[in-house]
Amino acid sequence: MQLTSHHTTTDKTLYIRKEADEQSSASFNFINLIMLFVVFIFARQYVNIGTAINAISLGYFVNLAEKFYTHFTFPETLAFKGIAAFVACTLLFFGIATFTSVEIGFDPWTGFVMLLKDKVRFNYKLCLLVINVMLSLFGLFLGGRVGGTTLIVIFFGGPIIQEFENFIKKSILNKFNFKDN
């Protein structure tokens, strides 16, 4: 798309945003594939069909959700942002716990956390904390921001995911006999 002088600022902003989204999605998928390769080489036991599905499709679904989200107007209040962050984190943590509970393979990032857990012999919560802190510092170094939601994910993500996983395994999977224990 060639931008000419008759395009509005909004058109230019949307074009730049579209280009950034495509680059972000491609970068995310590329990093996912690198992580998948590392996990496949060093911790193959964590790779299964779910790993491939996640590595290939996650960036696409994040972009799809973002496009859906941008069609709505939401209040810019701190209260609304807090509620939205709580809902998003809860869904994220529950989704990761569900994915790991059914044992169809870990996503590349969780597989990497599990690889670290196996190598240093720390628990999942601590390994996830270390990786999240390192990635956040790397993001800051590259010019990113760390806000309240990032801090929630860094410090509470691991423990909440582990609790959700325990709940899913004990309550849901056992109750419906989805799994042999």
Side-chain angles (χ1 to χ4, degrees):
M1 172 180 177
Q2 182 68 20
L3 292 176
T4 60
S5 60
H6 71 275
H7 284 87
T8 66
T9 303
T10 303
D11 290 339
K12 291 177 186 176
T13 303
L14 291 174
Y15 174 75
I16 292 168
R17 175 73 180 167
K18 180 179 181 280
E19 290 294 314
D21 284 348
E22 289 172 1
Q23 289 175 356
S24 176
S25 179
S27 298
F28 186 79
N29 285 334
F30 180 72
I31 291 169
N32 253 354
L33 290 175
I34 290 172
M35 297 302 294
L36 176 60
F37 179 75
V38 169
V39 172
F40 185 78
I41 297 299
F42 297 106
R44 194 171 298 191
Q45 71 270 24
Y46 298 123
V47 177
N48 203 330
I49 187 67
T51 309
I53 292 168
N54 184 285
I56 294 167
S57 66
L58 185 60
Y60 170 76
F61 283 110
V62 167
N63 283 346
L64 185 66
E66 185 176 2
K67 287 176 184 171
F68 176 77
Y69 181 81
T70 58
H71 285 18
F72 298 97
T73 304
F74 296 105
E76 290 289 323
T77 65
L78 184 60
F80 180 80
K81 289 179 180 181
I83 292 168
F86 174 79
V87 170
C89 287
T90 302
L91 291 172
L92 173 67
F93 299 156
F94 191 79
I96 292 170
T98 302
F99 196 79
T100 58
S101 295
V102 296
E103 297 179 5
I104 59 169
F106 293 118
D107 64 274
W109 289 98
T110 303
F112 189 76
V113 173
M114 298 301 286
L115 169 63
L116 179 65
K117 177 183 81 76
D118 293 346
K119 297 296 182 191
V120 298
R121 303 211 191 288
F122 291 144
N123 68 24
Y124 174 82
K125 293 184 273 192
L126 182 58
C127 290
L128 183 61
L129 174 69
V130 168
I131 288 175
N132 283 341
V133 167
M134 289 173 41
L135 290 172
S136 295
L137 291 174
F138 185 66
L140 280 172
F141 175 74
L142 293 175
R145 297 180 309 154
V146 172
T149 305
T150 305
L151 295 174
I152 290 169
V153 171
I154 288 173
F155 293 107
F156 299 107
I160 294 171
I161 290 168
Q162 203 158 12
E163 289 303 314
F164 275 149
E165 187 174 343
N166 292 339
F167 169 76
I168 291 166
K169 284 181 176 179
K170 290 177 184 172
S171 301
I172 298 172
L173 296 179
N174 283 343
K175 183 175 182 177
F176 294 104
N177 295 319
F178 284 130
K179 218 177 139 154
D180 295 330
N181 284 336

